[in-house]
Amino acid sequence: MAIAGCGALLVWTNPSMEDYSEYAGEQLVEIVTEEVCERQGMPMVLRLWIRNCPELIAAQNQTLASIAGQFTTRRNLGLGSIYTTKFDGQDFLPKMHLPSYTVTTLAGAGQFLTIKARINPSDQE
């Protein structure tokens, strides 16, 4: 009886695609901030014009969450889910050189755990 109750609880707390999109949006803010702001991925002219790059990107959290949802597939296993997000950096921000990413995330009990994140080797500098 207790096992069935635990199983039912896990099914009930299995995060939705909307929950994942919100989580992925936060992760994308970190990735884009690192690639664009910290690695000097932005052209010099834009760096002179944009004073607070991380804040500008953080303000786009909802947009990034929506984009993440468009590039994500979900495998619902009942007790949990596996989300796979694949996007090409050039599709994401065409004027900037961003690598392609594949991220696999395990979700369950209302939590997310990124189990694999890979940058396409041909995109690394």
Side-chain angles (χ1 to χ4, degrees):
M1 186 65 131
I3 293 174
C6 289
L9 182 63
L10 285 174
V11 169
W12 185 63
T13 59
N14 187 1
S16 68
M17 186 64 162
E18 292 79 23
D19 295 332
Y20 175 77
S21 291
E22 184 178 318
Y23 167 79
E26 294 168 5
Q27 300 303 306
L28 279 174
V29 165
E30 292 178 22
I31 290 169
V32 174
T33 298
E34 182 179 329
E35 292 292 331
V36 173
C37 303
E38 296 171 10
R39 292 191 181 179
Q40 305 301 323
M42 194 176 347
M44 177 61 92
V45 173
L46 285 177
R47 278 188 267 150
L48 293 172
W49 186 56
I50 297 173
R51 297 288 181 213
N52 194 345
C53 182
E55 185 178 299
L56 177 66
I57 292 171
Q60 302 306 312
N61 188 306
Q62 291 298 325
T63 301
L64 293 171
S66 175
I67 290 169
Q70 293 173 10
F71 290 94
T72 299
T73 57
R74 176 186 185 196
R75 180 186 286 167
N76 187 347
L77 305 174
L79 301 177
S81 295
I82 298 173
Y83 294 91
T84 304
T85 303
K86 295 180 183 181
F87 64 90
D88 183 351
Q90 298 309 299
D91 291 339
F92 189 60
L93 292 172
K95 299 292 182 183
M96 297 184 178
H97 180 67
L98 293 177
S100 299
Y101 286 93
T102 302
V103 179
T104 304
T105 303
L106 181 62
Q111 301 295 312
F112 297 97
L113 175 64
T114 299
I115 55 176
K116 184 169 133 183
R118 188 183 76 211
I119 298 173
N120 186 339
S122 65
D123 292 336
Q124 290 179 329
E125 295 178 26

